[in-house]
Amino acid sequence: MILSMTKILVVSLHLWLLSTAAATSKSYFSPPLRSSSFVAPFTRPARLLSDHAAHPTLSDEATTPQQSMDVRELMHLLEETYPSSQNSPSDANNKGNKHKRQQWARTRNYLYQYRANLSRSTTSSSSTEPTTKKRKRTTRNRGPLTITHLQQIISFLETTFPNHPELQAHILQSTPRILSKHHSIESRLLPTVEFLKELYGDMAGSDGKEGSMFFEAIKRNSNLLLVQGVGYVGDGTTTRTEENKSGDHSTSSAAVKVEEYLENVVGISSQGMAKLKKNQPTLFQLSLGNKVQPAVEYLLSLLLGCNSSIDSIPPKQKKLLAKIVTNHPNLLQLDVDSNLRSTAQFLRDYCDLTDSELATVVGSNPSILGLAVDGNLRPKMQLLTNVLEKGTKQGSSSSSSIDDSDVKKTALRKSILKHPQILSLSTSNICTKMDYFDDIDVKSNTGKSDNTLAVRLLATAPSVYSLSLAENIIPKVNYLAALWGWTSLSNKLCECPLLTLSMDNIQQTLSFYNMTGYIDLPNKEGMTTENAGNVRSRYIATSLYNRLLPRWNFLLKEQERKEQLLGVLALKTDDTSRAEATKYHLPSSKTPRDKVLLPPIHLLAGASDEVFCRQLNLSLSEYTAFKEEAAPRLKFNSQFELWLKTGRPIDMITL
């Protein structure tokens, strides 16, 4: 306590010395243009530069607003008020100073930019041009920052976040714009804090403590303190409540109405409401009748393909609507006519989508409605159209009566309906992956063809483009190239959407074929197997747990049963069905290796259950019953063995 009082006295003495120096040097720091009534004790330990000689006195000619604000002095005050915990003694001082400069880099840059903008504003205001009256409010009322202004902001942070100096420093470092809000502490900052505290209430944060969600939200996004629409509006003279006492313009009443509407009408769960408050608290300050409800009703009309009341929609669509609002709350902040409706209409017209197809696209990728049409969607659509056009030219004859524009729209519509999320990717992301796929064509010696791997994947498996190139696509391509070789890789990758499978899935399926004897994988990677051509892409994409393992184990079971019968009964020589059934011998402990004769891989992996049983003289009903009973158990056993080798968690299912 004594130490704190001592630091306060030191700060006061420094401020007095600085104000004395300012008066002597003709406004070293210009006095504040507006003084907020919010003045709290400057309680944080601060140590200003007492040696005024380090900063020369400004002359009469150097008293412009640009020069009257010394950024170095302001930064020194902030750094001394919130010393970095990374500061280290002795020989590590250089690293500590570098870390401190990095922490405050954004704040320092903002202060210099603020000073430069202030200088330009002052220069233009001295002009007689009438256009200066149209300058924005934020620029018109700004003046040079002073020590008093800085003290007011730090006092506000002290009062709002007591005993959290790290959070206070984080706010100043990540959101330095708050330094220019000294004139609107009571009109904007305090109402915003009250709104956020009322919104979060006693919600617990990640630490489990009640009421800590407010501090955690500010730490995650300190810009929440500067949200617009809370408190005073206009020129800062009237509050929302005073402006319209009867409407839902009151911040607290608006938050309550929005929360009740989302929870009771839209059907968002309590967990979803907590997620919204945590990630998008500004949603609850919006007007329910003018913003939230119209946006929700328009989203509902897109999902249903027609206008309908939210109370009469099917439960499935209502659940989807609640999911969209929970995961994409920013859509409710967009204007219905100028944003949501125009974007939806662009998608409908450009891709020739029907209402049901548009509902599919929006339901699968709702964030697409938040993308700019001219700055994002239109260039991306044109890129995808140009790429798909190369494949459609080769697939259609020149004498076709179908309009080229219709062919382009059809190809684009099919690709987007298969994977609407591709529209959320950046054009640079898409082009980078196309260049990589073109390199595969070069290594595969496919020659010059418009129907490249990039084009075929975009048309048949567009979801590949949403995968990470470095962490997903390249490792799988290298693994498959080691299996097949680069020469045939491009064509095999287009046979089926193999790249959409996970690496574990591919390796486990190939391990099955290796253990059953269809291929002989080398012990070391990078070596191409001689019989790898037997396993086509679609056989690797075959479900291991729902097809390969049940069929293989059923064949083993049937083979064991017939071997037992052979030991008791003599087979009839004229029984062709039994002879046909025993011509395939699976590897087992009782079957010599030279007697192994595997069934064709196309029957095991590619045929339907009916064809599989008919060709191998098996009972379809018995196999179906075995599959339903044994498939979960086989999956568990396979994953248990994998867990023993790698420690990978088991996908627990009902046995």
Side-chain angles (χ1 to χ4, degrees):
M1 186 67 181
I2 297 176
L3 181 60
S4 300
M5 293 299 298
T6 303
K7 291 181 178 179
I8 294 174
L9 292 175
V10 171
V11 170
S12 302
L13 178 59
H14 286 160
L15 291 174
W16 177 80
L17 290 174
L18 189 60
S19 62
T20 304
T24 305
S25 60
K26 297 184 179 181
S27 184
Y28 184 78
F29 285 98
S30 294
L33 297 181
R34 296 175 59 186
S35 60
S36 173
S37 59
F38 182 88
V39 179
F42 193 66
T43 55
R44 284 294 304 156
R47 182 172 55 85
L48 298 177
L49 291 175
S50 58
D51 188 3
H52 187 63
H55 300 279
T57 303
L58 300 175
S59 62
D60 293 341
E61 293 79 5
T63 57
T64 63
Q66 176 182 353
Q67 294 173 323
S68 63
M69 183 182 65
D70 195 313
V71 176
R72 293 175 299 171
E73 191 66 25
L74 294 175
M75 288 305 307
H76 182 76
L77 173 62
L78 290 174
E79 292 174 357
E80 292 299 315
T81 305
Y82 301 100
S84 173
S85 59
Q86 300 294 329
N87 288 348
S88 53
S90 64
D91 58 343
N93 281 336
N94 292 335
K95 295 182 179 180
N97 293 333
K98 182 179 180 181
H99 179 76
K100 181 190 296 186
R101 287 194 298 270
Q102 293 175 349
Q103 284 182 318
W104 294 98
R106 180 179 296 183
T107 308
R108 184 180 296 102
N109 294 339
Y110 173 77
L111 291 177
Y112 279 114
Q113 185 65 36
Y114 183 95
R115 188 176 68 173
N117 294 339
L118 185 64
S119 176
R120 289 194 294 267
S121 175
T122 305
T123 303
S124 60
S125 63
S126 61
S127 175
T128 58
E129 294 292 334
T131 56
T132 56
K133 297 181 180 180
K134 298 180 181 180
R135 192 167 297 276
K136 293 182 180 180
R137 174 176 58 86
T138 55
T139 304
R140 183 175 65 243
N141 295 334
R142 295 173 78 177
L145 290 177
T146 67
I147 291 296
T148 303
H149 298 155
L150 195 61
Q151 179 183 0
Q152 292 170 355
I153 293 298
I154 295 179
S155 299
F156 161 74
L157 296 177
E158 276 277 336
T159 306
T160 307
F161 307 100
N163 303 322
H164 289 81
E166 297 84 2
L167 181 56
Q168 299 171 30
H170 172 73
I171 294 172
L172 294 170
Q173 292 166 359
S174 59
T175 312
R177 289 187 300 122
I178 197 174
L179 293 172
S180 63
K181 306 302 178 184
H182 54 84
H183 59 278
S184 57
I185 292 179
E186 289 186 348
S187 62
R188 174 174 292 183
L189 297 182
L190 285 178
T192 301
V193 169
E194 293 175 0
F195 163 74
L196 293 174
K197 285 185 175 180
E198 182 179 358
L199 178 65
Y200 291 117
D202 297 332
M203 290 178 60
S206 57
D207 56 359
K209 297 181 180 179
E210 292 186 1
S212 62
M213 179 57 70
F214 167 68
F215 298 95
E216 186 173 317
I218 297 299
K219 184 177 181 180
R220 184 186 303 107
N221 182 15
S222 55
N223 287 320
L224 291 176
L225 294 173
L226 304 181
V227 294
Q228 297 180 356
V230 178
Y232 288 70
V233 295
D235 58 356
T237 58
T238 56
T239 63
R240 285 190 168 221
T241 306
E242 294 172 350
E243 178 183 298
N244 189 347
K245 295 181 180 180
S246 60
D248 62 358
H249 293 285
S250 174
T251 302
S252 58
S253 63
V256 172
K257 290 183 178 181
V258 171
E259 183 173 0
E260 291 179 350
Y261 175 78
L262 295 178
E263 190 170 9
N264 299 330
V265 179
V266 181
I268 298 179
S269 62
S270 57
Q271 293 83 359
M273 294 300 301
K275 182 179 179 180
L276 287 175
K277 292 180 180 180
K278 180 179 179 180
N279 299 330
Q280 199 78 12
T282 56
L283 173 65
F284 296 89
Q285 75 181 74
L286 300 177
S287 171
L288 176 61
N290 298 330
K291 204 75 172 180
V292 177
Q293 187 172 352
V296 170
E297 291 177 351
Y298 182 72
L299 289 175
L300 178 61
S301 67
L302 289 179
L303 296 176
L304 296 178
C306 61
N307 294 326
S308 178
S309 174
I310 193 172
D311 297 327
S312 59
I313 63 174
K316 183 178 180 180
Q317 277 73 17
K318 188 173 184 179
K319 185 177 180 180
L320 177 59
L321 176 64
K323 182 179 179 181
I324 292 176
V325 173
T326 303
N327 296 331
H328 305 276
N330 58 304
L331 295 179
L332 303 187
Q333 296 179 316
L334 301 177
D335 184 75
V336 173
D337 293 327
S338 60
N339 295 113
L340 298 178
R341 196 185 306 276
S342 60
T343 304
Q345 188 63 37
F346 170 78
L347 293 172
R348 182 185 286 107
D349 296 340
Y350 200 100
C351 303
D352 198 17
L353 299 174
T354 63
D355 290 340
S356 60
E357 290 173 342
L358 181 61
T360 301
V361 173
V362 173
S364 302
N365 186 21
S367 61
I368 191 177
L369 295 175
L371 301 179
V373 173
D374 294 330
N376 192 311
L377 287 177
R378 194 184 302 276
K380 196 179 305 176
M381 292 284 201
Q382 189 62 46
L383 171 65
L384 298 177
T385 302
N386 294 338
V387 173
L388 291 170
E389 183 181 4
K390 300 177 182 179
T392 56
K393 282 183 178 180
Q394 184 168 340
S396 60
S397 61
S398 58
S399 61
S400 176
S401 60
I402 302 177
D403 188 5
D404 289 341
S405 61
D406 294 337
V407 175
K408 295 177 184 178
K409 283 188 176 182
T410 301
L412 181 62
R413 184 179 72 252
K414 290 181 178 179
S415 178
I416 291 177
L417 289 176
K418 287 180 180 179
H419 188 65
Q421 290 79 3
I422 195 173
L423 295 179
S424 297
L425 302 177
S426 64
T427 53
S428 60
N429 190 332
I430 297 174
C431 291
T432 300
K433 291 167 184 175
M434 287 182 177
D435 293 340
Y436 177 74
F437 295 141
D438 290 341
D439 292 339
I440 296 178
D441 286 333
V442 173
K443 294 180 180 180
S444 299
N445 297 323
T446 56
K448 294 183 179 180
S449 174
D450 291 335
N451 200 18
T452 62
L453 175 61
V455 175
R456 288 180 288 178
L457 288 177
L458 182 60
T460 60
S463 59
V464 173
Y465 283 88
S466 292
L467 302 177
S468 171
L469 182 62
E471 299 178 1
N472 195 307
I473 298 177
I474 292 179
K476 286 188 288 191
V477 168
N478 292 336
Y479 181 81
L480 295 173
L483 177 70
W484 289 319
W486 288 100
T487 304
S488 60
L489 182 62
S490 179
N491 291 329
K492 287 185 177 294
L493 290 177
C494 294
E495 184 179 323
C496 77
L498 189 59
L499 291 180
T500 59
L501 303 178
S502 66
M503 177 66 84
D504 288 343
N505 195 330
I506 296 174
Q507 291 177 338
Q508 291 176 21
T509 304
L510 288 175
S511 177
F512 167 81
Y513 290 127
N514 180 59
M515 290 187 297
T516 53
Y518 284 98
I519 60 174
D520 185 15
L521 290 178
N523 295 328
K524 297 181 180 180
E525 295 184 1
M527 299 175 60
T528 305
T529 59
E530 295 181 357
N531 55 353
N534 297 335
V535 181
R536 302 174 61 179
S537 299
R538 60 180 181 178
Y539 298 155
I540 299 178
T542 301
S543 175
L544 177 63
Y545 300 115
N546 295 325
R547 174 168 289 187
L548 295 179
L549 284 176
R551 290 185 179 183
W552 183 262
N553 283 272
F554 185 74
L555 288 174
L556 287 176
K557 178 182 177 183
E558 287 296 300
Q559 178 173 293
E560 182 179 357
R561 182 178 64 84
K562 291 174 182 178
E563 287 176 353
Q564 292 177 354
L565 289 176
L566 285 174
V568 179
L569 302 174
L571 291 175
K572 298 181 180 179
T573 56
D574 58 346
D575 193 340
T576 57
S577 62
R578 287 185 176 273
E580 184 73 16
T582 57
K583 71 177 182 179
Y584 298 117
H585 295 279
L586 278 60
S588 65
S589 57
K590 299 180 180 180
T591 305
R593 191 170 187 84
D594 57 345
K595 298 294 184 181
V596 172
L597 183 60
L598 298 174
I601 192 172
H602 70 271
L603 285 178
L604 182 68
S608 63
D609 289 345
E610 292 80 3
V611 174
F612 169 74
C613 294
R614 184 174 66 250
Q615 292 294 327
L616 297 180
N617 272 344
L618 301 173
S619 171
L620 178 60
S621 60
E622 291 182 4
Y623 170 70
T624 303
F626 174 83
K627 180 180 178 180
E628 294 177 354
E629 181 273 331
R633 174 171 46 83
L634 293 172
K635 180 177 181 180
F636 179 84
N637 291 341
S638 177
Q639 291 190 349
F640 183 74
E641 294 177 0
L642 185 64
W643 172 76
L644 291 176
K645 296 178 181 179
T646 64
R648 178 183 173 184
I650 297 175
D651 180 16
M652 297 302 297
I653 52 180
T654 304
L655 299 179

